[in-house]
Amino acid sequence: MMEGKVYKVGIVGATGLVGGELIQLLEREGFPIESLKLFASFDDAGEQMEFMSEQIMVEAIRADYFKELDLVFFSAHPMVSRDLAEDAEKAGVWVIDTSRWWRLHPDVPLVVPEVNPETLELGKRKIIASPSPASVALSLVLAPLEREFGLKRVGAVALYGSTQEGRLGFEEHQWQTIAIFNQQEFEVKKFPRQSAFNIFPQVGKFVGDETEEEQDVKNELYKIFPQADFKFSITCAQVPIFCGLSIALFVELKKNASTQNLREAFQKSSGIKLMDEPEKEIYPDTLASLEEDNVLVGRIRKDASGDNSFQLWLSSDNLRKGSALNMIQIAKLLIEKGLL
Amino acid sequence: MMEGKVYKVGIVGATGLVGGELIQLLEREGFPIESLKLFASFDDAGEQMEFMSEQIMVEAIRADYFKELDLVFFSAHPMVSRDLAEDAEKAGVWVIDTSRWWRLHPDVPLVVPEVNPETLELGKRKIIASPSPASVALSLVLAPLEREFGLKRVGAVALYGSTQEGRLGFEEHQWQTIAIFNQQEFEVKKFPRQSAFNIFPQVGKFVGDETEEEQDVKNELYKIFPQADFKFSITCAQVPIFCGLSIALFVELKKNASTQNLREAFQKSSGIKLMDEPEKEIYPDTLASLEEDNVLVGRIRKDASGDNSFQLWLSSDNLRKGSALNMIQIAKLLIEKGLL
């Protein structure tokens, strides 16, 4: 990191769940900040948020504010990223975006710093995308397996909490749950159907017989692992939790390996915490993953249904490593590489 | 069904969730009953339950009560089935048991009437076992695939509600959820960890690196499909819903097939309801499966990660077709075959 250099930073979507996490983590990480500007929609403008014991007033976002910044984090609706990220870029500002809008754009790097830091320089834009929380978690877990044993085939069932749909998703899920206990009526708006006490296999709209999220995660993983030739399939389902993401995984490897080999590969990897002692009932669950920087991995076992096949389970905080922490790690990497 | 013949029926575990469902369904199905005796533990004895507009008093279970019966349904703890099913059998009474105790016993048929009715006569005992709700749902969905295309490999991720642990599981989950909203403390007793707003990959105790439920479902499926040679693997997880069971499924077939072929196979099968129109957002969810006799199947799509591979989703009512309805269908089959 350049000694002493400090940056003018902005957050678009500061009042959202990822925005709040970004503010907390920028402080915790001691990110070198000269000034922090917080932006949100008109509705939230005027709100006060705390950073480093100071109160910062949230401003309604306007494109001409960007020119005073060095770096801006976008954690808002994809339409906001579509409309405003290029304005920031034209003003010479680095953009790190966590919406789905830029992730698959060919000129925009899609970065998980522990997995593909080298791609940061390959972008033709000043926009860097942070993957879907599911893609972040999966790529962290798949990277050591691909590197050490070669991946042949991966099947995933990913279970999403209501914060997948941001603060409005969180609130809808909360009010539905309370309404059910109080025998009151409730609205279904943010999700395609009732989310309280229900499980349904739809995250995002349908595109043919797949959902957007299923397509996104697949395409993001192929972008993150461009040299790999593994086949990947996924089912995404909404489950009635608030935060956190859990994924049941089937993997088939090219090389022979034991469960112990897999555990060792994970232990050497950064961004991963191994929790795998079934005899003590130690394994990851969604609650354990909350406010945890690492992706938790456990329940590693031989899958007797295939050669060189394994089953495992991972849990991850979708707001932290899935979004905010990954974005801050990308920003630090920009500094390390002298790009910012 | 033998014209006019009526039976003296008992239910052990009448005050439980499956017990209640049995009483309702015996009435709805017009099961030929001369008399119905309801049994429970000492704690629940004396309670009144309604059947055919009559109040029946629940009695504390005693082995010597069986001799007055023709048929007894066991929907209680496995230890109760272990201790009392043989007493009933010795008294010449047919036993249909939904606990895990007898399911894998070599002399006891494990029956899903739509799938393996022929095994009912093969038992050397008067005890018939009803499989785990997950095995019932899986066997109904796998049977037409095995019959028409041959199964090569099956991978499942099964998501269980709190009623997997009966009424006590239901209540613990309910009180935890309410306590969280009221910021009160709560107990974790029936489940290995907090179930409210959590997902954890453990159903039953660990046996090595698998859980009891994972082993059970695998062994039950191999017992239900003794001629089949498909490989099967499963991860079972507890999710914060009350009733219902959802399973994400990966299947690899021996013969070439299209998604349309699979849909047609399911449409011809009894016990299955096809809900598969993604363009209209029609697919199964857990809520839709409740109080539904059939297993709901949808999200059928090609799994590009393997040859002849497909992904699909199923949802089923664990208390109804998963337990009570299947037991009553077994009883009807006993009558049809002249065994009862």
Side-chain angles (χ1 to χ4, degrees), chain A residues 153 193-194 198-199 201-202 209 214 233-235 239 281 283-287 299 301 303 305 311, chain B residues 153 193 198-199 201-202 209 214 233-235 239 281 283-287 299 301 303 305 309 311:
Chain A
R153 190 177 175 185
R193 49 188 73 188
Q194 178 184 328
N198 194 17
I199 308 172
Q202 184 189 353
D209 59 7
E214 287 160 357
S233 56
I234 185 166
T235 294
V239 295
E281 299 198 353
Y283 54 80
D285 66 21
T286 305
L287 274 181
R299 300 246 28 223
R301 57 205 195 277
D303 174 356
S305 83
Q311 282 171 274
Chain B
R153 190 177 176 184
R193 48 187 75 187
N198 195 15
I199 308 172
Q202 184 188 353
D209 59 7
E214 287 160 357
S233 57
I234 185 167
T235 294
V239 295
E281 297 197 355
Y283 53 81
D285 65 23
T286 306
L287 274 181
R299 300 246 28 224
R301 58 205 195 277
D303 174 355
S305 85
S309 296
Q311 281 171 275

Side-chain angles (χ1 to χ4, degrees), chain B residues 216-231:
Chain B
D216 282 359
V217 174
K218 193 190 298 183
N219 291 328
E220 290 174 27
L221 284 179
Y222 288 140
K223 183 166 176 174
I224 294 169
F225 297 100
Q227 256 78 60
D229 59 357
F230 63 84
K231 303 283 179 68

Side-chain angles (χ1 to χ4, degrees), chain B residues 97 125 330:
Chain B
D97 183 35
R125 312 281 299 252
I330 292 171

